[in-house]
């Protein structure tokens, strides 16, 4: 599934509810909440804060997917084509950061 298909799938799912997309500030709060859940799991796995023995193992894949869902909701609600935005962003990085890091000898 490409990003445009993801945007359509999310829009179709959200479109079945009267409430529709949340307002932008509510989505920002939700995005922040989801990023916090990812940070907590990364800190447990790779940081200095191990989980308590009774805490279940988290799912990094699902935490990232939750973030992607909210980003897609945000883009859809604002009429942003994420495919086009991604291409622009990559052009920016290729230009601005082309010599920032050491390239691999391939």
């Amino acid at each position: 599934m490409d990003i445009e298909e993801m945007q359509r799938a999310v829009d179709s799912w959200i479109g079945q509810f009267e409430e529709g997309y949340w307002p932008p500030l509510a989505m920002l709060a939700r995005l922040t909440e989801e990023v916090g859940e990812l940070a907590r799991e990364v800190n447990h796995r790779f940081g200095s804060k191990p989980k308590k023995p009774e805490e279940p193992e988290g799912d990094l894949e699902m935490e990232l997917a939750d973030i992607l869902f909210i980003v897609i909701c945000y883009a859809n609600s604002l009429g942003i084509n994420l495919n086009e935005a991604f291409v622009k962003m990559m052009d920016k990085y290729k230009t601005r950061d082309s010599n920032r890091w050491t390239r691999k000898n391939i």
Side-chain angles (χ1 to χ4, degrees), residues 10 35 70:
V10 168
V35 170
I70 296 301

Side-chain angles (χ1 to χ4, degrees), residues 2-105:
D2 66 25
I3 196 71
E4 289 176 348
E5 292 170 321
M6 289 181 203
Q7 283 193 259
R8 285 191 298 272
V10 168
D11 196 57
S12 176
W13 190 80
I14 294 290
Q16 64 185 324
F17 303 106
E18 290 293 329
E19 295 82 2
Y21 290 105
W22 296 341
L25 284 174
M27 274 194 277
L28 181 58
R30 177 74 189 271
L31 178 60
T32 302
E33 180 183 312
E34 295 296 348
V35 170
E37 290 176 13
L38 174 65
R40 178 179 167 82
E41 187 56 36
V42 168
N43 195 24
H44 285 314
R45 286 195 190 190
F46 307 109
S48 57
K49 185 181 178 188
K51 283 193 174 196
K52 297 173 185 168
E54 67 274 8
E55 286 184 277
E57 185 72 17
D59 188 341
L60 287 174
E61 182 179 89
M62 288 303 296
E63 297 302 345
L64 286 167
D66 285 343
I67 292 167
L68 181 58
F69 177 80
I70 296 301
V71 167
I72 291 171
C73 285
Y74 224 141
N76 285 356
S77 74
L78 298 173
I80 295 170
N81 179 312
L82 283 173
N83 190 57
E84 291 173 6
F86 184 83
V87 169
K88 290 177 192 175
M89 180 274 307
M90 285 303 297
D91 286 342
K92 176 184 77 171
Y93 278 100
K94 288 176 184 177
T95 302
R96 185 186 72 190
D97 297 333
S98 63
N99 295 312
R100 180 173 272 185
W101 295 283
T102 307
R103 292 197 179 268
K104 293 180 179 180
N105 291 324

